[in-house]
Amino acid sequence: MTFTPAASFTTRPTLRGTFGMSASTHWTATATAQAVLERGGTAFDAAAAAAFVLHIVEPHLNGPGGDLVALVRPGGATEPTVLMGQGPAPAGASIAHFRARGLDLVPGAGGLAATVPGGIDAWLLLLRDHGTWELADVLAFAVGYARDGHPLVAGAAATIARVADLFREHWPSSAQQWMPAGSPPAPDTLVRNPAWADVLDSLVEAGTGAPDRASRIEAARERWMTEVLPEAAAFARRPHRHSDGAEHPGILDTADLSWRAGYEAAVSTSFRGWRVFKAGAWSQGPAMLHTLRLLDDADDDRLDPASPEGAHRLLEAQKLAYADRDAWFGDGWAADTGEAFDVETLLADAYVAARRELIGPAASADLRPGSPDGREPVIPPLRTEGRAAEGSTGEPTVDRSGRTRGDTCHLDVIDRWGNVVSATPSGGWLQSSPTVPSLGFCLGTRLQMTWLVPGHPASLVPGRRPRTTLTPTMLTRGDEVTAIGSPGGDQQDQWQVPVLLRILVGGYSPQQAIDAPTLHTTALADSFWPRTWSPAGAVVEDRLGDDVISALEARGHRVRRAGDWTLGRVSAVGRDADGLLWAAANPRGAQGYAAGR
């Protein structure tokens, strides 16, 4: 048995060149990043400009009130650093508070689920420390699209249509912003957001008179955190409809907004000669590292996602990795002792070997977390049945039937100086909570990733970050580097791993690997309201083939077919062993693009 050969046809080429490469989930953001590179900006300038544009052109997938996790590596550095833009729970966000309101889960929509918004502050921090452009120049692209308009993508139009009744009946400020004519806009309708353009202009104006570029950016950060966000928090504290059908006031308060974004060390492991870097266990990133370690001992042909054995092995490894995620991951804390969970225990040889032994010939229907550091795992509440929701809840992704509801965002940039960024911005999408009319954006709902039970590493605790799904990736081998990522909630790393296996093991080009049919497991505790799981569940693209799908079903996987081109939103850039830069992007949904030369 050999690794399935790569298809000779690709939906677009793997771009190659020496100047700079950009890739993202929307063509306008990619064009923005590349425009910055063409005008002499660095990858950090380009990524920041593109990110602010993503707020405008993918408003159903991310927004100014959302979050950010990125990996950034300046030219000459040997390892990337995590840019941490995930804000914590407000001081009033206690389990007791939510229980007193009759809730057993944090709602998936509404201001009660808001953390401190971290994305904007993180981008400004990156620009201050690693960028070269003035803030006015970086924001000019987004200001133009917000004030002058941009064509609404089909996914955003569909999202607005799904929540139209919620907007009309309960969130009138959102109806005013997104349905000014009284009905959902059609795709390609020119949409403007002058209120948000004014906010961006005010951030630039905050630096007037400051002595240097860094001081001007710091002034913008200060205005954002001390003037703009307090206004958003005050608006969200007015009672409004949430996903449970009840009226609740938000709890984010001005006192919570002393938090600031920062940098953290990445965690890593080795796979087939490459070093793979992720954010820590406050994200789901280490689950990818664990998955790769579980797979690393197998022969090459047994890692082919397009073979019955390879697909089965991949699904079973991911089940084990995500069972450990659901039992152990959280913001610097572990159950029963209060001690931090050490990711290295998850990746230790002995523990990985013991977990590999659990991968058998049949699909497991059990949640099987282990004890990497010797303590007993804490299993979160599991439910197989969902609930009726008011409006659109959770991170837009792929539902249990495989139907695509949307995604979050991702962008990658590499420049000729060797600077590289892999970033996954999300949250604060237009359906999160009511639009603040004077600001043009809403708060996010990342608190829904916490549990309203004490004693779990991801329990809701004031001041702690929710265990986020945002999980960009960077790989290095000598002078080679790859920045890669995907939207998709719990599927983000699950969709990246088959691409990496096809590139690193199967010898595919990046675009061949991204185009190839993919799959993922749903046998995990969903990170988003209403937080269900599907024992032995798997979702596959039909292009995987009847023979492979039938073989998975014969092994006990409960397979749902999602269609031919529905799963995965991966984009990537990199530098190869010859020093050439490259880029590739997802064709699904006809929205993502790469550009470069």
Side-chain angles (χ1 to χ4, degrees), residues 197-290:
D198 289 344
V199 172
L200 293 177
D201 282 341
S202 77
L203 298 183
V204 174
E205 292 165 1
T208 301
D212 52 43
R213 192 186 72 90
S215 298
R216 287 187 282 277
I217 294 172
E218 269 303 295
R221 294 181 71 197
E222 186 69 10
R223 176 164 290 183
W224 172 253
M225 297 299 294
T226 64
E227 297 181 32
V228 178
L229 287 185
E231 186 174 345
F235 182 82
R237 287 198 299 274
R238 304 175 187 176
H240 56 277
R241 183 61 61 95
H242 282 59
S243 59
D244 66 331
E247 303 274 326
H248 303 287
I251 51 177
L252 185 67
D253 190 79
T254 300
D256 298 309
L257 300 175
S258 61
W259 175 91
R260 294 295 184 271
Y263 301 104
E264 295 187 4
V267 296
S268 66
T269 195
S270 294
F271 181 77
R272 301 300 170 103
W274 289 78
R275 199 72 189 169
V276 186
F277 295 91
K278 302 292 286 186
W282 54 272
S283 76
Q284 63 176 340
M288 175 197 270
L289 304 181
H290 193 191

Side-chain angles (χ1 to χ4, degrees), residues 160 164 167-168 172-186 189-192:
I160 295 168
F167 284 8
R168 289 192 194 98
S173 59
S174 296
Q176 181 181 3
Q177 170 60 40
W178 300 109
M179 303 189 303
S183 60
T189 298
L190 202 64
V191 174
R192 296 177 174 86

Side-chain angles (χ1 to χ4, degrees), residues 67-69 86 278-287 322 325-326 329 394-397 407-410 424-427 429 445-446 448-449 466-473 486-494 496 524-528 531:
D67 326 296
L68 169 68
V69 180
Q86 176 56 66
K278 302 292 286 186
W282 54 272
S283 76
Q284 63 176 340
Y322 286 94
R325 179 202 73 169
D326 293 337
F329 289 16
E395 182 169 279
T397 180
D407 292 299
T408 184
C409 304
H410 185 77
T424 308
S426 186
W429 41 77
T445 55
R446 194 63 59 178
Q448 66 184 292
M449 294 186 177
R467 195 273 302 149
T468 184
T469 52
L470 308 183
T471 178
T473 307
S486 176
D490 292 308
Q491 286 80 48
Q492 289 180 28
D493 280 341
Q494 294 196 66
Q496 292 179 63
L524 45 72
D526 198 316
S527 296
F528 293 91
R531 312 213 66 175

Side-chain angles (χ1 to χ4, degrees), residues 171-439:
W171 294 3
S173 59
S174 296
Q176 181 181 3
Q177 170 60 40
W178 300 109
M179 303 189 303
S183 60
D188 297 325
T189 298
L190 202 64
V191 174
R192 296 177 174 86
N193 192 339
W196 177 237
D198 289 344
V199 172
L200 293 177
D201 282 341
S202 77
L203 298 183
V204 174
E205 292 165 1
T208 301
D212 52 43
R213 192 186 72 90
S215 298
R216 287 187 282 277
I217 294 172
E218 269 303 295
R221 294 181 71 197
E222 186 69 10
R223 176 164 290 183
W224 172 253
M225 297 299 294
T226 64
E227 297 181 32
V228 178
L229 287 185
E231 186 174 345
F235 182 82
R237 287 198 299 274
R238 304 175 187 176
H240 56 277
R241 183 61 61 95
H242 282 59
S243 59
D244 66 331
E247 303 274 326
H248 303 287
I251 51 177
L252 185 67
D253 190 79
T254 300
D256 298 309
L257 300 175
S258 61
W259 175 91
R260 294 295 184 271
Y263 301 104
E264 295 187 4
V267 296
S268 66
T269 195
S270 294
F271 181 77
R272 301 300 170 103
W274 289 78
R275 199 72 189 169
V276 186
F277 295 91
K278 302 292 286 186
W282 54 272
S283 76
Q284 63 176 340
M288 175 197 270
L289 304 181
H290 193 191
T291 300
L292 293 174
R293 291 281 282 125
L294 291 170
L295 297 173
D296 200 18
D297 72 321
D299 294 337
D300 289 359
D301 56 8
R302 296 169 71 84
L303 296 180
D304 179 4
S307 72
E309 173 62 27
H312 169 74
R313 181 175 292 272
L314 175 58
L315 290 170
E316 293 302 296
Q318 288 174 331
K319 288 179 191 176
L320 293 171
Y322 286 94
D324 277 341
R325 179 202 73 169
D326 293 337
W328 291 105
F329 289 16
D331 185 13
W333 180 84
D336 74 33
T337 66
E339 297 175 1
F341 173 65
D342 185 357
V343 170
E344 293 304 317
T345 64
L346 191 73
L347 306 175
D349 290 343
Y351 183 69
V352 170
R355 298 292 276 167
R356 283 180 187 145
E357 293 297 318
L358 298 178
I359 300 177
S364 171
D366 299 320
L367 190 76
R368 299 183 290 174
S371 300
D373 62 1
R375 288 175 288 182
E376 287 298 311
V378 181
I379 299 175
L382 298 176
R383 47 172 61 86
T384 57
E385 298 296 328
R387 304 178 184 182
E390 293 276 340
S392 180
T393 63
E395 182 169 279
T397 180
V398 175
D399 72 11
R400 298 294 179 169
S401 70
R403 177 174 61 89
T404 301
R405 305 198 308 266
D407 292 299
T408 184
C409 304
H410 185 77
L411 65 94
D412 305 291
V413 188
I414 188 169
D415 64 28
R416 61 191 185 275
W417 301 292
N419 302 307
V420 60
V421 179
S422 176
T424 308
S426 186
W429 41 77
L430 64 87
Q431 65 275 25
S432 292
S433 60
T435 298
V436 185
S438 59
L439 303 177

